[in-house]
Amino acid sequence: MGDRLLDVAQHVDAGLASLRTESRKRIKVAASLTIAEQLMPRWLVSLQAAATRRGSTAPEVILTATNSDHVISAVRDGAADLGFIESPGLPIGLRSSVVARDELVAIVPPDHKWARRSKALSAYELSQTSLVARELGSGTRDSLTAALRSTLGDAVEQARPVLELSSAVAVRGAVLAGAGPAVMSRLAVADDLAVGRLRAVDVPELNLRRELRAIWVGGRTPPAGAIRDLLSHIRNTSAP
């Protein structure tokens, strides 16, 4: 009987050790679309390269791209071990850390009337314009609303979007097709602005800079293992 109990205990210990190893090697990440599309690929490639240089294996990252509200829910519910959001404010009940900074920019095609105007666009005029917008729950949309309220007051009512779309790629395509102006992450349209496919419209009354954050459940320090390793690498490769 004693030998059988010892065998069972050894099997249990081996199983727990295996689970601990797997938890260090695999991490479920949910990221807002701007971060998933514009930053996460670079972070993951450099993570793999750093592990190769050390002769080790990088954690396996299972990435889900969604909007910031869904990222917060996924982390709270345990569907994701780590989240990345672009929405303003700190999610209640979650820990967070700034991992990068970004800026929103109002964009139009080169033939749009705003591209030819001689004076800057006002915050009020932008608020009363039907924009091509992301869906409710998007960090980009929430960041614009927060910036407008900061300048114009909480009572400001924004014009209804001309289109509501579920990805930055779709918003960019709609603007290029002439659907209307949009406010997007500069990261998502940097190439278009550089070659003149899109034009940036200055709105000097608005502070459109924002912080991009990692979020997790637990203590102030991220959980040990793959989560902490990934965040440490991101901090070392992108100065917030």
Side-chain angles (χ1 to χ4, degrees):
M1 177 66 72
D3 289 343
R4 289 180 59 191
L5 289 175
L6 184 59
D7 286 342
V8 170
Q10 288 173 339
H11 282 305
V12 170
D13 284 345
L16 291 175
S18 176
L19 288 174
R20 286 193 293 269
T21 300
E22 284 300 309
S23 71
R24 288 195 295 270
K25 290 182 177 178
R26 180 176 298 167
I27 175 175
K28 293 178 290 184
V29 173
S32 66
L33 287 173
T34 296
I35 296 172
E37 294 171 353
Q38 305 301 324
L39 295 175
M40 192 62 69
R42 185 178 73 209
W43 289 341
L44 295 182
V45 168
S46 63
L47 180 69
Q48 292 276 3
T52 299
R53 287 194 300 270
R54 295 192 305 268
S56 61
T57 302
E60 177 188 357
V61 175
I62 303 169
L63 176 64
T64 299
T66 184
N67 68 38
S68 290
D69 273 5
H70 291 160
V71 171
I72 293 168
S73 295
V75 173
R76 282 195 177 127
D77 296 344
D81 304 307
L82 181 66
F84 293 90
I85 60 171
E86 56 197 89
S87 51
L90 303 178
I92 297 172
L94 296 178
R95 296 291 188 175
S96 72
S97 174
V98 176
V99 293
R101 288 188 167 85
D102 183 29
E103 179 185 30
L104 299 181
V105 59
I107 55 165
V108 295
D111 59 352
H112 191 276
K113 63 182 180 179
W114 284 2
R116 301 187 298 272
R117 60 187 293 145
S118 57
K119 66 176 184 176
L121 188 69
S122 72
Y124 181 76
E125 187 174 357
L126 180 64
S127 74
Q128 299 307 297
T129 300
S130 293
L131 302 174
V132 180
R134 288 283 309 283
E135 78 285 6
L136 291 171
S138 155
T140 295
R141 182 164 173 170
D142 289 348
S143 295
L144 174 60
T145 297
L148 288 170
R149 287 176 177 172
S150 177
T151 297
L152 301 174
D154 290 341
V156 63
E157 293 189 14
Q158 294 173 246
R160 293 180 61 85
V162 64
L163 285 174
E164 290 182 282
L165 301 169
S166 61
S167 75
V169 173
V171 171
R172 170 188 172 276
V175 173
L176 287 169
V183 175
M184 297 184 65
S185 164
R186 188 176 289 276
L187 291 170
V189 292
D191 291 345
D192 296 301
L193 295 175
V195 300
R197 276 191 300 265
L198 292 170
R199 299 284 177 84
V201 181
D202 192 24
V203 192
E205 293 175 323
L206 292 182
N207 177 8
L208 293 175
R209 294 184 297 275
R210 59 182 183 164
E211 296 176 330
L212 308 180
R213 291 182 170 271
I215 58 172
W216 64 90
V217 173
R220 184 175 301 174
T221 302
I227 294 175
R228 192 179 299 174
D229 292 346
L230 176 59
L231 284 180
S232 296
H233 178 78
I234 290 171
R235 291 192 188 103
N236 289 334
T237 55
S238 63

